Amino acid sequence: MMREDRKKKRILIKLDNDAHKSKSIQSPDFSVISLKCQAKHYEWGKKGSSSFVGQILKDQGTTIDEDKPYAELWMGTHKSGSSCICGLSPGLDGHSLSDLFIAFPEFIGDMNIFKKYGHHLPFLFKVLSVGKPLSIQVHPDKTLAGQLFSSRPEHYPDPNHKPELSIALTAFSALAYFRPHDQIIGFAKKYKKFGQLLGSELLNGYENSDKPNRQNWLKKCFASLLTKKPENIIATIKDLVNQANVDTGDETLRLFKQIADHYPDDVGTFACFFLNHIQLKPGQAFFIDVNQPHCYLSGDCIEIMACSDNVIRAGLTPKFKDVELLCETMTYKPKRMEKFLLEPIRNNDFTWLYSPPVDEFAIEKIEIPKGKSSGSQFPLHRLHSASLLIVIECESGSINSTALKKSRVYFLPPGLNYSLSGLRGRFLAFRAFIKQ
Ligand SMILES: [Zn+2]
């Protein structure tokens, strides 16, 4: 379907789906297309140029407000923030990537990929800069997402599931998946005030339940916590913060206090006793499947997810909470951290593949150390699908005949051969694509 001679062809496009306004354009080069991507200013984002997202915008020439949070950069075709074409030609610049896929369906991928996903990228690619804990959340599976979208579209904006993969760019900290049950009950015994909040009935319930019923116990425990009276929650948080101030060597209490400092009256603070605490170094990754509770705490990361914005929230947020639904939806099976950390597969000397167990996406990391970058060509994998490339570090260099710049995002049409050359300094980029 893809043809290399496309760049020489004169093509009639109907970017606004209106035959009268159709434009006939001559594209200078269709092999690499620069994108302008939207930032989201959620209040949990890092502020100004301390934010990785803010820094990317600054590098692109945008003036940054140092008091404003820069939480997310969206790369893709999601209707709440589709990326736009820039620097290509006056006829195309400013049009969304979605428009481009409608005009040129072959840009999505080969016929199999187009048949499966149509005119939209099935993934949403992001950079996140987390300044304070995000909400405790789960993402629904496809069946539930469909039901929620049709019954409550004001809270659940699309019918899609949202498994997500995160790769740390800086030291990154998060809570994810339930801890082993014995750890949770261990905390309830160790931190008396937390145990008292849960109540003796629940604590005895654990002792009296056999292993197969422990998930049920955990569900009761979590649901009971989320529905406690606010005054009891606030008082217990205060007690535990006081304890943390005295017992400064206790890592879990320190984490509790770190969350409580931002949310001194929010029941979500107790999530650190229930969910695994992950601390990633740059390049390390983890995968969050649907129905699994998680909460990002701090740091910057690359994130990719199925193209959806469906979030069921329970705490640590001023946004809409759906506690009952969250408790019903969640998977209560504990998972140890090593089971959801995602080890990349080394493809060659300079690329690593992050491939989670979903159809919609995978990410390739391209990393070339300073001493090895100059004087060589670095051929990238030929893909059958559209791909988006974000350049994190690059002094200078090019991809095919297009100059590459740090902090820029590029759309690479499928079926073409790409090669990096003329690199100087360390090179680091991430390329998101539809799984082949
Ligand atoms: Zn999430």
Side-chain angles (χ1 to χ4, degrees):
M1 195 166 186
M2 294 298 308
R3 285 195 304 271
E4 300 246 10
D5 64 351
R6 185 199 290 123
K7 64 180 85 165
K8 298 193 187 83
K9 221 171 103 185
R10 201 164 183 84
I11 308 162
L12 187 71
I13 57 168
K14 289 184 267 184
L15 285 171
D16 46 15
N17 284 334
D18 179 341
H20 301 292
K21 290 182 192 163
S22 298
K23 293 169 187 159
S24 174
I25 57 116
Q26 175 86 50
S27 166
D29 181 355
F30 268 85
S31 69
V32 178
I33 296 174
S34 218
L35 296 179
K36 195 170 170 50
C37 301
Q38 274 191 31
K40 301 284 178 187
H41 304 280
Y42 307 131
E43 53 93 40
W44 49 259
K46 286 190 191 174
K47 287 188 178 162
S49 44
S50 73
S51 154
F52 212 101
V53 173
Q55 199 58 54
I56 285 173
L57 297 182
K58 201 171 169 182
D59 291 345
Q60 291 175 359
T62 307
T63 308
I64 297 298
D65 181 345
E66 291 297 337
D67 296 323
K68 197 171 174 181
Y70 292 83
E72 297 188 352
L73 186 77
W74 283 29
M75 301 169 278
T77 55
H78 194 281
K79 61 184 178 187
S80 306
S82 180
S83 305
C84 290
I85 299 160
C86 73
L88 193 61
S89 72
L92 272 174
D93 279 6
H95 283 290
S96 72
L97 194 53
S98 310
D99 288 342
L100 191 75
F101 290 138
I102 290 167
F104 305 108
E106 71 269 32
F107 274 2
I108 278 284
D110 61 19
M111 194 46 92
N112 287 338
I113 289 175
F114 179 71
K115 271 189 193 156
K116 199 164 175 189
Y117 299 113
H119 293 100
H120 299 281
L121 286 177
F123 62 78
L124 178 58
F125 192 28
K126 291 181 181 177
V127 179
L128 258 66
S129 288
V130 182
K132 67 177 202 174
L134 272 76
S135 53
I136 293 163
Q137 52 187 259
V138 298
H139 305 297
D141 57 29
K142 269 187 186 159
T143 314
L144 179 63
Q147 291 163 2
L148 292 171
F149 176 61
S150 60
S151 60
R152 284 185 286 162
E154 69 280 18
H155 297 306
Y156 302 101
D158 56 74
N160 207 4
H161 69 164
K162 195 187 174 211
E164 13 186 67
L165 163 71
S166 304
I167 307 171
L169 286 169
T170 59
F172 192 79
S173 161
L175 300 172
Y177 292 83
F178 278 108
R179 291 176 185 267
H181 296 147
D182 54 342
Q183 269 186 28
I184 301 170
I185 196 75
F187 288 140
K189 287 177 183 166
K190 186 175 176 189
Y191 309 117
K192 297 279 180 271
K193 295 287 177 183
F194 171 50
Q196 282 166 18
L197 183 71
L198 290 178
S200 54
E201 200 181 315
L202 274 171
L203 297 191
N204 295 335
Y206 176 84
E207 303 299 343
N208 300 332
S209 63
D210 46 7
K211 239 182 167 183
N213 284 320
R214 294 268 159 88
Q215 286 185 44
N216 243 342
W217 169 81
L218 182 56
K219 185 177 177 182
K220 264 192 219 159
C221 213
F222 205 70
S224 141
L225 180 73
L226 291 179
T227 48
K228 295 277 179 211
K229 283 184 185 156
E231 56 267 33
N232 294 347
I233 294 291
I234 294 168
T236 310
I237 291 178
K238 231 183 208 166
D239 288 337
L240 286 167
V241 167
N242 288 339
Q243 194 180 338
N245 286 334
V246 176
D247 193 355
T248 50
D250 186 308
E251 215 176 287
T252 311
L253 276 183
R254 201 161 52 221
L255 177 64
F256 182 88
K257 181 177 151 37
Q258 185 196 327
I259 304 173
D261 282 347
H262 295 287
Y263 301 95
D265 53 5
D266 194 311
V267 64
T269 302
F270 294 95
C272 67
F273 297 135
F274 287 90
L275 309 182
N276 294 288
H277 182 214
I278 318 167
Q279 288 169 291
L280 300 183
K281 293 189 194 115
Q284 287 187 305
F286 66 102
F287 173 68
I288 303 282
D289 211 344
V290 293
N291 299 333
Q292 295 290 357
H294 58 284
C295 162
Y296 295 170
L297 299 174
S298 63
D300 308 273
C301 71
I302 288 283
E303 195 189 37
I304 190 166
M305 62 213 67
C307 191
S308 166
D309 206 15
N310 282 324
V311 187
I312 308 172
R313 300 179 183 86
L316 307 184
T317 179
K319 290 184 186 170
F320 172 71
K321 294 178 198 172
D322 211 336
V323 173
E324 211 173 303
L325 180 66
L326 179 116
C327 290
E328 268 322 300
T329 315
M330 263 190 311
T331 305
Y332 291 88
K333 201 168 171 200
K335 209 166 200 172
R336 288 193 183 271
M337 242 184 296
E338 51 279 15
K339 299 267 179 190
F340 57 85
L341 291 182
L342 191 100
E343 276 294 322
I345 301 159
R346 190 170 187 151
N347 278 334
N348 55 32
D349 278 355
F350 60 97
T351 59
W352 286 259
L353 177 70
Y354 297 80
S355 181
V358 291
D359 290 341
E360 289 95 334
F361 55 80
I363 291 185
E364 195 167 59
K365 179 177 78 163
I366 305 158
E367 188 173 20
I368 302 165
K370 196 175 178 183
K372 293 192 175 164
S373 61
S374 62
S376 303
Q377 292 262 347
F378 297 92
L380 302 184
H381 285 109
R382 189 184 168 110
L383 297 172
H384 302 296
S385 88
S387 61
L388 301 180
L389 180 80
I390 179 163
V391 178
I392 302 295
E393 277 189 53
C394 173
E395 270 180 40
S396 67
S398 53
I399 181 165
N400 295 4
S401 58
T402 304
L404 283 173
K405 285 194 176 139
K406 180 181 191 278
S407 299
R408 298 281 171 162
V409 182
Y410 303 92
F411 163 61
L412 308 180
L416 301 178
N417 291 320
Y418 291 100
S419 184
L420 306 172
S421 59
L423 297 178
R424 271 215 347 239
R426 180 176 183 249
F427 183 82
L428 176 65
F430 294 88
R431 185 186 189 191
F433 57 93
I434 304 169
K435 218 182 239 186
Q436 315 285 294

